[in-house]
Amino acid sequence: MPTPKAPNPKKGKNKIIFEKLNNIQAEAKFIDIKESKSDILLNIKDKGGVYMFFNLINGNYYIGSSINLARRFRVHLNSVGSVKLPLPLAINNMVLIILYF
């Protein structure tokens, strides 16, 4: 499973946020959701599990679960731009973390 290395800021609030991200134990981490979309779908196809969207700007997170992670991921991506909720509005600043399959 791909788990690219996240940027490592040297100081301040960003350092704390990235330390939190690095300390999360996970099956996989996808740093750039838009660029990794096809890779994400390939790795979660036909799998259920628990996932987390982690905001790289403020450290907030959303945890969800699904019996079909690929379908749920597509629903989240399709809501970007059409729904005025916190997750779709911040998706460009998020990391997708698969906590458990």
Side-chain angles (χ1 to χ4, degrees):
M1 283 293 204
T3 303
K5 197 165 189 162
N8 191 9
K10 301 285 186 223
K11 59 184 175 180
K13 183 179 178 184
N14 285 342
K15 180 180 180 186
I16 294 169
I17 290 171
F18 281 98
E19 284 175 357
K20 284 183 186 178
L21 174 63
N22 289 331
N23 288 331
I24 297 171
Q25 294 182 13
E27 301 277 340
K29 295 179 185 177
F30 300 94
I31 303 299
D32 189 346
I33 293 175
K34 295 247 180 192
E35 289 291 318
S36 304
K37 182 180 173 182
S38 59
D39 193 32
I40 293 169
L41 290 170
L42 180 67
N43 284 290
I44 64 176
K45 182 180 178 185
D46 300 325
K47 294 181 182 173
V50 180
Y51 62 94
M52 172 193 286
F53 284 102
F54 184 87
N55 190 314
L56 294 172
I57 304 299
N58 58 23
N60 291 342
Y61 55 90
Y62 169 86
I63 297 175
S65 64
S66 179
I67 58 171
N68 187 332
L69 288 171
R71 181 179 60 205
R72 188 66 183 124
F73 178 68
R74 282 189 197 98
V75 169
H76 282 303
L77 285 187
N78 288 337
S79 66
V80 173
S82 63
V83 179
K84 302 260 188 271
L85 294 172
L87 181 61
L89 291 173
I91 201 84
N92 291 331
N93 302 322
M94 298 283 199
V95 172
L96 175 64
I97 301 169
I98 305 299
L99 298 171
Y100 182 78
F101 284 114

